[in-house]
Amino acid sequence: MRNRLGLIALVLWLVTAVGLGVLFVHGRTEKAPDGRTAILMSAAERDFVFTEMRGLLVAVRDITAALAEGDTVKVAAAAKAMGMGEAHDRAPALLAKLPLDFKRLAMTLHGGFDEMAEAAAKGETPAQLNTRLIAQLDRCTVCHAGFRIDVAQ
Ligand code: HEC
């Protein structure tokens, strides 16, 4: 009897562990008709993500303007504002819905902004910083091509 309980506990533990693992990798997703992976989240979570996205677009705009002026101090400030330290997507319930590839891309993007800020502080030229910005924009477009956000309760 005790053995059977132990076995049931082990099986339940395994099911939970595998379930959490699958959730960690896939998040809460389904295939969308346009071929992208739809991430399912509440309307409030979607608003939260979109607000951050619009902040990213403003940062890219500010970096481009600073590059046009050759002002690398401004480039560093605008990039730093979107770095790892400022990443806002930390709500645990939302994080669990994001697939691993999405989280990885988001982390690479925020890390790239930190690297851009450091490079600007170390004296990289506007042309070199612009090359970094293009690599960052590639991350935006890769993610937008692969994922979309659909509302589901
Ligand atoms: C890790 C994935 C990911 C990265 C990286 C990413 N985005 Fe997004 N973004 C999304 C998704 C998903 C949507 C929703 C698209 C949809 O539902 O069609 C979105 C939507 C947006 C929107 C629309 C917001 C609104 O209010 O409608 C803007 C603007 C945007 N992103 C800008 C950017 C910019 C600029 C970058 C790069 C600096 C970027 N994003 C990087 C995933 C990403």
Side-chain angles (χ1 to χ4, degrees):
M1 184 62 190
R2 198 181 295 150
N3 267 350
R4 189 168 301 163
L5 275 182
L7 189 66
I8 291 172
L10 181 68
V11 168
L12 282 178
W13 180 84
L14 274 176
V15 166
T16 310
V18 169
L20 285 176
V22 168
L23 189 66
F24 183 73
V25 173
H26 294 283
R28 197 169 161 228
T29 54
E30 67 184 23
K31 204 83 207 145
D34 65 8
R36 292 187 290 172
T37 298
I39 306 171
L40 307 178
M41 58 180 76
S42 71
E45 287 168 333
R46 182 174 179 235
D47 286 346
F48 178 79
V49 174
F50 278 7
T51 302
E52 186 166 359
M53 289 294 157
R54 293 193 299 275
L56 282 171
L57 187 54
V58 171
V60 167
R61 181 255 162 233
D62 289 349
I63 292 170
T64 312
L67 284 174
E69 293 166 13
D71 188 339
T72 55
V73 174
K74 266 196 207 163
V75 171
K80 190 79 208 156
M82 285 297 140
M84 262 331 173
E86 309 300 324
H88 307 126
D89 37 9
R90 291 210 187 94
L94 174 57
L95 274 180
K97 293 174 187 167
L98 304 175
L100 186 57
D101 282 348
F102 185 98
K103 282 183 280 211
R104 212 181 268 145
L105 262 168
M107 299 262 285
T108 314
L109 183 76
H110 287 302
F113 279 125
D114 280 331
E115 286 164 20
M116 186 185 285
E118 281 163 28
K122 281 190 186 138
E124 269 195 15
T125 64
Q128 286 171 312
L129 293 168
N130 203 20
T131 305
R132 287 180 186 274
L133 182 61
I134 293 166
Q136 288 292 80
L137 287 169
D138 285 341
R139 290 170 183 140
C140 317
T141 53
V142 164
C143 196
H144 294 153
F147 297 100
R148 69 182 213 181
I149 296 173
D150 286 359
V151 170
Q153 279 320 307

